[in-house]
Amino acid sequence: MTNPASRTVSEISPVIDAFIAASAIAFGLYVSAPSRAALIRTTLARSTRREVRTRWHARLRERWPQVRAGLRRGIAVALSVAAILPFTGKAADKPVLVVGDQAYNAQSLFEASDALRDAPYTVAWKQFPAGTPVIEAVNAGALDIGLQGDGPVLFLAAQGAPVKVIGIYRDSPDSVVLLAGAHTQIKSVEDLRGKTVALTRGGWSQQLVQAALASKGLPLDSVKYSYLASVDSAAALQAGKVDATATWEPYVTRLRQAGARTVVTARGLIAAQSYLSTTQKVIDAKRELLGDFVQRYQRAREWSLADPRHIERYADVWAAKSRVDPKLAHQWFSTSRIRYEPLTDAAIAEAQKSVDDFVKTGTLTRSFDVRGLFDTSFNKFTQAVR
């Protein structure tokens, strides 16, 4: 095939040359014959390229189904490689344990005590504002293990959720308190008649209020209930929107600083247990990792109680993460003195009593045997610490 650009200018120049010359004269320009020849050659070359592109586009349209299929295969391969690459460099990395925490409490403890040093896994901390979303995330498979109060776990287990308790920790009962606002004259449980009490549904807050009323022979409807999250309950009391609230640290210390008065503590009224919770699926897949974590948690708690300076260190770490006054943190941790406990028959019996009390008060519609909720095989990990 002859390239059009290779044609001699003399073959086409009479028409084209005359056109270029006339056009130049029309604009008041003079274009010499050599320049007109160069312009013709450039024009022919451009025309040739356009013809080549036109023929290429035509062939591409004819073969587009095959080309498109090839592109799709190439993209699929590229995406597969992209998906694999982030993990190829991590093949030898440690396994990950995803832990649900509340307001940096456990994370601060582990960092202060250096309890995760040399752990055969990496902990991915996830922070939550309260216990209910923690256990819900555990049940949904978003967490491997969660730390939360007993109420949310018992409520979820009552609905048949496959959650499991593999460890218990407990605040001092003096750190769970029913408080009256500074704007009230409430000094005793009896003074609560007709008053509005803010509490968190299904948690220690509700347990304490109802247990306090029952201890004085008062019906549960002798007070008005305002169901709020713990942070909102504290704010409502300070604002004078409610008369009393049942809460725990660090809200207790904050409210007392604002003038709230203690009506009664949890001592002798409720168990105030907290759980390390997981699911059977995670136990089957990560039993040794869970056991090691529980063991390290027990060590960290024992470390925190062994020396007042450890409590201060723990409080300082938490205060820095939470951006609060370290004095508040020191007061909280000194009062709560959280300790780890093994899964004993007595602890399980306390959980059963909590469930039965919830049924009596109508908070739960039916009772259930809590023994299946507790996996006591994890005691072997914590006994090894002693």
Side-chain angles (χ1 to χ4, degrees):
M1 178 177 173
T2 305
N3 186 336
S6 65
R7 299 173 188 165
T8 61
V9 174
S10 59
E11 292 178 320
I12 55 174
S13 63
V15 176
I16 297 177
D17 187 61
F19 174 78
I20 292 174
S23 298
I25 291 171
F27 284 94
L29 300 174
Y30 171 75
V31 181
S32 65
S35 296
R36 293 198 301 271
L39 181 60
I40 291 171
R41 286 193 294 269
T42 301
T43 301
L44 288 175
R46 289 176 177 172
S47 176
T48 299
R49 289 195 293 271
R50 282 196 297 270
E51 290 177 15
V52 170
R53 286 198 299 269
T54 300
R55 289 195 296 270
W56 186 85
H57 288 159
R59 287 196 296 269
L60 180 60
R61 282 193 297 271
E62 293 174 0
R63 300 182 58 190
W64 177 243
Q66 298 94 321
V67 172
R68 181 173 56 190
L71 286 173
R72 285 176 174 173
R73 287 192 296 271
I75 291 172
V77 171
L79 290 175
S80 299
V81 172
I84 293 171
L85 281 176
F87 298 98
T88 54
K90 298 182 179 180
D93 283 2
K94 296 177 181 179
V96 176
L97 200 63
V98 186
V99 180
D101 189 17
Q102 292 185 60
Y104 301 103
N105 192 331
Q107 183 176 354
S108 298
L109 172 69
F110 274 90
E111 291 183 8
S113 62
D114 198 22
L116 287 173
R117 182 178 53 190
D118 300 327
Y121 50 86
T122 298
V123 170
W125 294 100
K126 306 298 179 183
Q127 298 300 327
F128 294 82
T132 297
V134 174
I135 191 58
E136 288 175 348
V138 169
N139 187 47
L143 300 174
D144 293 322
I145 185 171
L147 296 94
Q148 67 286 296
D150 56 357
V153 180
L154 297 174
F155 270 66
L156 202 58
Q159 299 172 27
V163 292
K164 292 287 184 180
V165 174
I166 60 175
I168 292 176
Y169 60 101
R170 195 188 303 261
D171 289 52
S172 164
D174 295 326
S175 67
V176 183
V177 184
L178 175 56
L179 295 165
H183 59 284
T184 73
Q185 299 300 314
I186 298 171
K187 297 180 180 179
S188 66
V189 175
E190 291 84 354
D191 293 337
L192 292 172
R193 289 188 185 94
K195 304 300 184 181
T196 300
V197 182
L199 52 81
T200 303
R201 190 187 299 274
W204 292 346
S205 182
Q206 185 172 4
Q207 293 179 51
L208 178 55
V209 171
Q210 294 179 342
L213 293 174
S215 71
K216 299 301 181 181
L218 297 175
L220 299 182
D221 61 359
S222 60
V223 302
K224 300 172 185 176
Y225 297 103
S226 178
Y227 294 101
L228 299 170
S230 53
V231 63
D232 296 325
S233 294
L237 187 67
Q238 283 187 275
K241 295 180 179 179
V242 298
D243 301 305
T245 188
T247 189
W248 47 87
E249 294 289 2
Y251 304 109
V252 171
T253 296
R254 288 176 175 173
L255 290 172
R256 280 174 172 163
Q257 290 176 345
R261 296 184 303 277
T262 298
V263 178
V264 68
T265 72
R267 186 173 295 276
L269 291 175
I270 65 172
Q273 292 180 336
S274 292
Y275 297 149
L276 287 89
S277 305
T278 185
T279 62
Q280 188 60 52
K281 182 178 180 180
V282 177
I283 291 174
D284 293 339
K286 299 182 177 182
R287 174 180 287 274
E288 294 302 316
L289 269 62
L290 292 172
D292 183 84
F293 181 84
V294 172
Q295 184 181 99
R296 291 172 186 270
Y297 181 78
Q298 179 187 13
R299 285 174 175 161
R301 284 296 174 201
E302 292 177 350
W303 169 89
S304 71
L305 300 176
D307 190 319
R309 292 172 296 180
H310 295 173
I311 284 284
E312 292 179 3
R313 168 62 180 158
Y314 175 19
D316 286 340
V317 173
W318 180 82
K321 288 184 177 296
S322 304
R323 299 180 181 180
V324 300
D325 184 351
K327 293 181 180 178
L328 172 66
H330 293 169
Q331 179 63 39
W332 170 20
F333 293 132
S334 297
T335 302
S336 60
R337 296 188 62 81
I338 303 171
R339 67 186 187 279
Y340 178 85
E341 294 183 0
L343 300 173
T344 62
D345 291 340
I348 296 173
E350 285 181 313
Q352 187 67 64
K353 182 181 184 300
S354 295
V355 169
D356 295 340
D357 288 343
F358 279 135
V359 174
K360 291 176 183 177
T361 58
T363 310
L364 277 178
T365 57
R366 65 179 183 84
S367 185
F368 70 99
D369 189 342
V370 302
R371 287 177 294 182
L373 174 62
F374 296 86
D375 189 337
T376 57
S377 69
F378 281 85
N379 282 341
K380 71 177 184 180
F381 293 99
T382 55
Q383 288 170 352
V385 177
R386 301 184 185 281

